[in-house]
Amino acid sequence: MNGELQHLIAMANQIAANLRPAAADDAAAAELVAKHIRLFWARSMKAQIIDYVQTDGTELNQVVKLAVVRVGIGSLTDLTNLEATCQK
Amino acid sequence: MLHYHEPDRDYGTPAPAATANTVSLVVDAVAVSVPEGTSVLRAAALAGINIPKLCASDNLEAFGSCRLCAVQIEGKRGYPASCTTPVEDGMQVSTQTEPVARLRRNIMELYISDHPLDCLTCPANGDCELQDMAGVVGLREVRYGFEGANHLQAEKDESNPYFTFDSSKCIVCSRCVRACEEVQGTFALTIDGRGFDSKVAAGDNESFMDSECVSCGACVQTCPTATLMEKSVIDAGQPEHSVVTTCAYCGVGCSFEAQMQGDQVVRMVPYKGGAANHGHSCVKGRFAFGYATHRDRLRTPMIREAIDQPWQAVSWEEAIAFAADRLRAIQQRHGRESIGGITSSRCTNEETYLVQKLVRAAFGNNNTDTCARVCHSPTGYGLKATLGESAGTQTFDSVMQADVIVVIGANPTDAHPVFASQLRRRLRQGAELIVIDPRRIDLLHTPHRHKALHLPLRPGTNVAMINALAHVVVNEGLEDSAFIASRCETEAYQRWRAFISEPCHSPEALESATGVAADAVREAARAYGRARNGAIYYGLGVTEHSQGSTMVMGIANLALATGNIGREGVGVNPLRGQNNVQGSCDMGSFPHELPGYQHVSDATARGRFEADWGVKIDDEPGLRIPNMFDAAISGSFKGLYVQGEDIAQSDPNTSHVEAALGALECLIVQDIFLNETAKYAHVLLPGSTFLEKNGTFTNAERRINRVRKVMAPLAGKEDWEVTVDLANALGYPMDYSHPAEIMDEIARLTPSFAGVSYAKLDNLGSIQWPCNDAYPEGMPIMHEREFPIGLGKFAITEYVATSERTNRKYPLLLTTGRILSQYNVGAQTRRTANQTWHDEDVIELHPHDAETRGVKDGDWLGISSRAGHTVLRARVNDRMLPGVVYTTFHHPGSGANVITTDSSDWATNCPEYKVTAVQVEKVSQPSSWQQKFKAFDRQQTTLLQKGRRPAPEVSEG
Ligand code: SF4
Ligand code: SF4
Ligand code: SF4
Ligand code: FES
């Protein structure tokens, strides 16, 4: 496992540890964690943690596992502008 | 002279405390009405009549020693001193009668008879109140010669690097003594001896350098003669014009007059009209400006293919084209998200705004971050979640209404000196002080303060402490129920109340965690909870923890619970480190937020920016600095544009940072010096100092201050112009002719800045945001009627101990901080005479820890943590807690961040600088990192020398 993923796992677990007390149960906590990740993590970070949950996930605590499945990744579909400037 | 508002004028004595009563009097046939308590001298000045004076100044309490301000008052005997005589209703004052004129001439004659008559060659010539007064009173002869006893041979004290003390010129008016006490709060000076023998003495008859003096310069500024004089003025002569601008060091944001000869700064004089500093300053802002013209300044753009190659000096066009080509090539190969940018908390708002715009619009991603990541990002998160706005709630002046002042994890006398002076003034007036900090900070040593309480908690237990305080407030009925009912969200409050009332949050239950006696915690909570006005000030000792954000929310909870929000004298006040940390956050530097804290996923806000900028903006957050490092090491992040930050020195776990920077294919560094980060760069773009550009800074009280250009940029471009060029080279058009236009764009797109413009700033002097239609002149005190989120929101703040813990191998806790004379990574202050005070970082430890290890003051100590190892000199100091060691990070070779770890705040990744488990032991040589650092530094300096062109000839005419 690379250092980057290791950090993401540690971050996710830490977020869950801090948000769990603010929620009534694991499911509610997972919602908070998912929201946090949705708001603050970059697309590539989300992709890595989602991938990790799907392939292994053993180092994540229960709340994070529940949370990660709720994290959707937004989309920047219209890249025309950038592509245009890249052509320059 | 360029004046932007009322010119500095000295009204002789301070304005009296606000009162409803006015008194009417007549001065030289001019009728004038003034508040009760005004002096006759001030009343006359307000009526436009200047009574001669020497010992009085309106930033000092009147003293009445020179008698030059004598007047005649109908019905009163003799010639009372107008500076110490309060006005009375119906008074008839004559300031220019013949007997008064004679008396003044006699007084001046006595002064002059013991004063060197070298006016023409005196450095104060043209700026000497003694000279002025001799002129004003019409002194024509001096009957007493120099034969008698005099002070003309008195020795000069030149120990301070910035000013001299030539006591032969002293008239013993004691203004310096009073300035040191009343303005600065240091009490370094006294008048020694009596009568003819009386003289000004620093400390215990020591030199200025050996005394308690902190070199703030308040005495120099107030001295009416050449006795206390800036060496720069002695060298250069008197300035001929001046421009009002803003200090580029700390978050106080002091206003200064840059006093100039042509394009040379002769001296910086704190500007009386500055709303943050009212004419005071510290040693950095006033004296440490010489770095701007230091020979190490980068003067030409440079490029190189690889970091082991010599730099090659090139034109701006070449450098920009080289950078743009690299960045586009990387994106072609590794994707849109493979590059990013870092904005600077030291640059202007306009520059910061442009860098994040460049990233979002031209790079096409949100990989922008700023050094606030490593200092106050938890403030943004925590305050937004609870109070609805990512900023402090007050003005600095608000502290003058506070009755109980809580200072948490901050060391204002070193890090925010001018605010500390104001705070100390309030403490001398009787406010109570509570300090929550592992160290016994200097504020606790405030002379003539009233009650103070120190809660020396263990590093890493802030949240336990704030919960214990809140527990006492709730359980002892100290809540402000009316405030909570009307201003706070009920459901969140009830949940919080149930949580915090649990016995596990009592001071007794948490005593073993915090190490602070429960009684002391209860006493502190009661003092704050019962105070008419309780104000909390906090610094990086709050934010730089694994629970930094939780702690900020805990502080907000406590203020909400006690109703200490929304008026003068109260509030939650983050003390921001660098000059424009507040501004860089406001300007959208964070990867998840557009300017004005508008989330990138907010389609409406994003839409406004997209329409204005003519591009699509990514709706997903980008990478934060630590994530950029990780991604660089794992190979997905390849190019970085860094403006005015030194991440290689300031960020934690140096080896990790070095690995990341070393892995980049294109690192573009824009800075005024070859800083540590630049040593890993491929493109060097010379930056400009605050003296060389126009713009604005936003200080810790949300105050937007103007930065005004006083000299041309050394390398030809202001920093914002460089970003503009880079954007254009990348094919994204940017077109501004002045930073004022950038501010107009900011105002257009950022609701909290809607009403801000340069014209308004020039007019008002400064503006505290939010500034919009509802608050056209800004908002000094926030949350008076409602919160931006409507109701205040209590947050659950469970204490989760940090994973960074001591054990047998690493039994001590290291915490880091700052000192007065140096600034951040020290790139600026190390290139000034401020080095005199702090030329190396040392490791402070408690005598007990020193003794068990056989360590003496001055020994070399090896410090090891889980991240690395470095060597620093030991200073044994009992202001530390046993078990806690402390260092600063102002010198790159110290490697303080070699030992700090990756551990960070759970919500924002703000590094946990304040807690690292370490071991220390005596050693005899530098660490291997330090040896490597030295070799690398030598190599990079040589590569720079090779690339440097000889400085361009300055052409005449
Ligand atoms: S420089 Fe400041 S601290 Fe030093 S003696 Fe003067 S007023 Fe006091
Ligand atoms: S040093 Fe200057 S301010 Fe101080 S007593 Fe002498 S003349 Fe007055
Ligand atoms: S460093 Fe801070 S306190 Fe000192 S002069 Fe500058 S803004 Fe003021
Ligand atoms: S100015 Fe009033 S006594 Fe000196």
Side-chain angles (χ1 to χ4, degrees), chain A residues 4 7 11 14-15 18-19 21 36 39-43 45-46 73-76 79 81-82 85-86 88, chain B residues 328 332 336-337 381 547 592 599 615 618-622 624 627 630 634 729 798 902 904 906-907 909:
Chain A
E4 189 176 11
H7 277 153
M11 277 167 66
Q14 201 187 353
I15 292 166
N18 277 277
L19 289 178
H36 185 95
L39 286 178
F40 297 103
W41 284 30
R43 180 183 290 108
M45 295 158 68
K46 289 171 182 158
I73 304 183
S75 58
L76 179 60
L79 284 179
N81 158 71
L82 184 82
T85 48
C86 281
K88 198 184 146 275
Chain B
R328 278 303 183 229
Q332 303 278 11
R336 185 169 53 87
E337 293 172 18
Y381 183 90
Q547 281 200 293
H592 64 286
H599 201 275
V615 289
D618 196 340
D619 60 354
E620 280 281 334
R624 299 166 175 177
N627 312 126
D630 280 345
S634 70
E798 181 77 37
D902 290 331
S904 68
W906 67 271
N909 284 136

Side-chain angles (χ1 to χ4, degrees), chain B residues 165 169-176 200 222-225 227-228:
Chain B
F165 175 64
K169 300 203 160 170
C170 179
I171 59 170
V172 204
C173 66
S174 93
R175 271 164 72 165
C176 54
V200 171
T222 198
C223 180
T225 66
T227 313
L228 283 161

